[in-house]
Amino acid sequence: MKKISILLVAVIAAAAITSCKNADSTSKATKDSAQVPTAYAYTIEHPDNWEIGSSANTATALSALKSWEKGKFDECVKYFADTTQVMFDGMDKKLSNDSLKVLLIGSWNNYKNVSVTMKDWESVIAKDKSEEWVTLWYVQYYDDGKGAKDSVSVINDVQIKNSKIVKLAEYTRKFH
């Protein structure tokens, strides 16, 4: 019985040592492959420039959208800087906070009601800390002024500086 116990302990010890060596080599291989530059099909000035950003920036972008969804425009514009660049299909303008509020109210007036189903978000910061962005992916459901129901897939890219939205780029795809 004593021989079996010694044999069992030896087998377990060997398995543990082998497992640790495999884990170390896997970890080393992962680190090595992360340092090998990838050959991309296109080149840009700053490849792989982004790191995970601030959850506070995500909260700012989400709160601004929620305020717009609920038709609370005074609250919504509080998340924006004094001047914001807005980029929608067919529009690229810098607007004062007051002009932005007028634009948001005008866009919402096309709807009887609106609801947003959030799909995902990502906050990123440039490695040199020069830019911070939040991207939101969501579906917007709405009833137009005539009562017709519809929906659109939306991506918002929001640049945040000093805890305020300074750029808003919106991309939409209507469902068929």
Side-chain angles (χ1 to χ4, degrees), residues 8-9 12 19 35 37 78 87 90 96 106 110 127 159 163:
L8 183 59
V9 168
I12 291 172
S19 175
Q35 294 173 359
K78 289 180 183 177
M87 297 166 280
S96 68
N110 293 322
K127 287 182 180 178
Q159 185 180 15
S163 302

Side-chain angles (χ1 to χ4, degrees), residues 53-73:
S54 161
S55 59
N57 286 346
T58 302
T60 296
L62 293 170
S63 296
L65 178 61
K66 179 60 89 172
S67 298
W68 177 84
E69 175 189 9
K70 298 297 179 191
K72 297 179 179 179
F73 304 107

Side-chain angles (χ1 to χ4, degrees), residues 21 23 31 33 59 66-67 73 77 83 97 99 113 121 134 136 140 142 145 150 152 154-155 157 161 167 169:
K21 285 183 181 177
K31 287 179 188 174
S33 68
K66 179 60 89 172
S67 298
F73 304 107
V77 296
T83 302
N97 204 275
S99 296
N113 64 48
W121 59 73
V134 175
L136 308 176
Q140 178 181 310
Y142 58 91
D150 211 339
V152 64
V154 182
I155 297 173
D157 284 330
K161 202 177 268 189
K167 282 186 185 176

Side-chain angles (χ1 to χ4, degrees), residues 65-135:
L65 178 61
K66 179 60 89 172
S67 298
W68 177 84
E69 175 189 9
K70 298 297 179 191
K72 297 179 179 179
F73 304 107
D74 287 327
E75 182 181 323
C76 181
V77 296
K78 289 180 183 177
Y79 296 102
F80 289 83
D82 292 339
T83 302
T84 304
Q85 183 175 359
V86 293
M87 297 166 280
F88 300 111
D89 188 28
M91 173 194 272
D92 187 343
K93 290 184 179 182
K94 282 194 173 189
L95 298 174
S96 68
N97 204 275
D98 290 339
S99 296
L100 176 64
K101 182 178 174 183
V102 169
L103 174 75
L104 296 174
I105 290 170
S107 70
W108 213 97
N109 283 339
N110 293 322
Y111 308 117
K112 185 176 177 184
N113 64 48
V114 175
S115 68
V116 168
T117 300
M118 189 60 56
K119 297 299 184 179
D120 204 356
W121 59 73
E122 182 76 33
S123 176
V124 295
I125 185 168
K127 287 182 180 178
D128 68 0
K129 312 298 184 228
S130 63
E131 292 183 60
E132 297 183 67
W133 290 83
V134 175
T135 299

